[in-house]
Amino acid sequence: MDAGLSGKQMEALFKQIGRNMKDLSGILVTHEHSDHIKGIGIVARKYKLPIYANEKTWKAMDGLIGEVPLDQKFSFDMETVKTFGGLDIESFGVSHDAAEPMFYVFHKDGKKLVLITDTGYVSDRMKGIISNADAYVFESNHDVQMLRMGRYPWSVKRRILSDYGHVSNEDAAVAMSEVAGDNTKRIYLAHLSTDNNMKDLARMSVSQTLEGRGILVGEQFDLIDTDPKTPTRLTAI
């Protein structure tokens, strides 16, 4: 899903977890922002991969990812399900300042994996779609006070804090408390701002908010850090 790093960076990260990019079978796109599509064109052309995105995202990516052969371009509409072998992939809309941003739920053998970042809030509709997953990759983008006191111009701060920006550590935790269920074993904290957040702070803030809502981290599920420069250890769900 997405390819926001350079082709060389991704190849190196795949190698560190014992995987090869030539074994990929396709790329799912969430939206057209550069930190999600920077390497898509290069990777797709090199490995002859099909790319899946909705129509508005395809239009928004035009000119940003280079030429992609027509037979590698596929449509994946929002709020639909596509099946690839035994894997069902469900798309759902989020609230972000992009053409038509959407994320994905992966279903296989009764297991459920949710990826949700780049949304200004988590609506009741989203919660219904993503509830009780076995694992989540969940946005925990910023600490509100760090953002407010930081170096960004106010226009950028306002955008991040808006309903079309990114969820804070505390807002992410509130959403987690409302969607995590008996099946949930792991939540990966993702898309942390390099300027307005820190791993320890995100984990502490999320844990404290969850505990304030009666959820004990480490007992009901584990919180796990992610880093765009470091591959996350592979685990089975």
Side-chain angles (χ1 to χ4, degrees):
M1 193 184 83
D2 290 340
L5 302 174
S6 71
K8 287 184 177 180
Q9 286 175 306
M10 285 185 285
E11 286 172 344
L13 292 171
F14 268 66
K15 186 176 181 180
Q16 289 179 43
I17 55 171
R19 294 293 187 268
N20 194 314
M21 292 186 71
K22 69 179 178 60
D23 296 324
L24 291 173
S25 54
I27 302 173
L28 303 169
V29 184
T30 63
H31 63 294
E32 73 276 8
H33 289 169
S34 61
D35 59 329
H36 291 258
I37 67 167
K38 178 180 178 181
I40 281 180
I42 295 169
V43 170
R45 287 186 290 272
K46 181 173 181 178
Y47 296 101
K48 305 295 191 293
L49 295 174
I51 304 173
Y52 297 86
N54 62 51
E55 183 178 350
K56 289 183 179 179
T57 298
W58 271 119
K59 289 180 179 178
M61 289 194 297
D62 187 38
L64 299 177
I65 62 174
E67 290 295 324
V68 175
L70 189 60
D71 63 359
Q72 290 177 238
K73 300 172 73 171
F74 293 86
S75 178
F76 196 147
D77 294 333
M78 185 185 293
E79 315 291 349
T80 60
V81 177
K82 282 188 178 293
T83 300
F84 302 86
L87 182 66
D88 295 325
I89 303 177
E90 178 182 7
S91 63
F92 64 96
V94 296
S95 180
H96 196 50
D97 57 349
E100 192 169 72
M102 66 184 192
F103 278 77
Y104 300 94
V105 183
F106 297 80
H107 302 268
K108 183 173 173 61
D109 299 331
K111 301 289 186 177
K112 181 176 177 179
L113 168 65
V114 170
L115 293 97
I116 177 169
T117 68
D118 296 77
T119 189
Y121 67 100
V122 182
S123 68
D124 289 341
R125 175 188 57 82
M126 294 182 217
K127 291 171 187 172
I129 294 169
I130 69 175
S131 65
N132 198 27
D134 295 85
Y136 293 89
V137 178
F138 214 111
E139 174 163 76
S140 188
N141 179 255
H142 60 275
D143 174 80
V144 173
Q145 290 307 311
M146 282 187 70
L147 175 62
R148 290 186 183 279
M149 300 297 292
R151 63 182 180 86
Y152 287 3
W154 175 242
S155 59
V156 176
K157 295 177 181 180
R158 185 169 55 192
R159 174 233 165 204
I160 294 170
L161 292 166
S162 77
D163 283 350
Y164 297 96
H166 295 275
V167 292
S168 67
N169 296 331
E170 289 77 11
D171 287 346
V174 170
M176 290 173 199
S177 73
E178 295 172 347
V179 300
D182 293 340
N183 291 337
T184 306
K185 299 297 183 290
R186 299 181 185 90
I187 297 181
Y188 295 83
L189 302 182
H191 213 292
L192 274 67
S193 169
T194 56
D195 290 286
N196 304 304
N197 212 348
M198 296 179 290
K199 291 177 187 177
D200 289 345
L201 176 59
R203 196 166 53 253
M204 180 186 71
S205 297
V206 169
S207 296
Q208 287 180 345
T209 302
L210 287 169
E211 288 170 8
R213 298 173 73 88
I215 297 175
L216 299 179
V217 172
E219 293 186 12
Q220 292 178 249
F221 53 76
D222 293 325
L223 286 180
I224 303 167
D225 295 328
T226 66
D227 190 315
K229 297 179 181 178
T230 307
T232 303
R233 183 173 62 87
L234 294 175
T235 55
I237 62 170

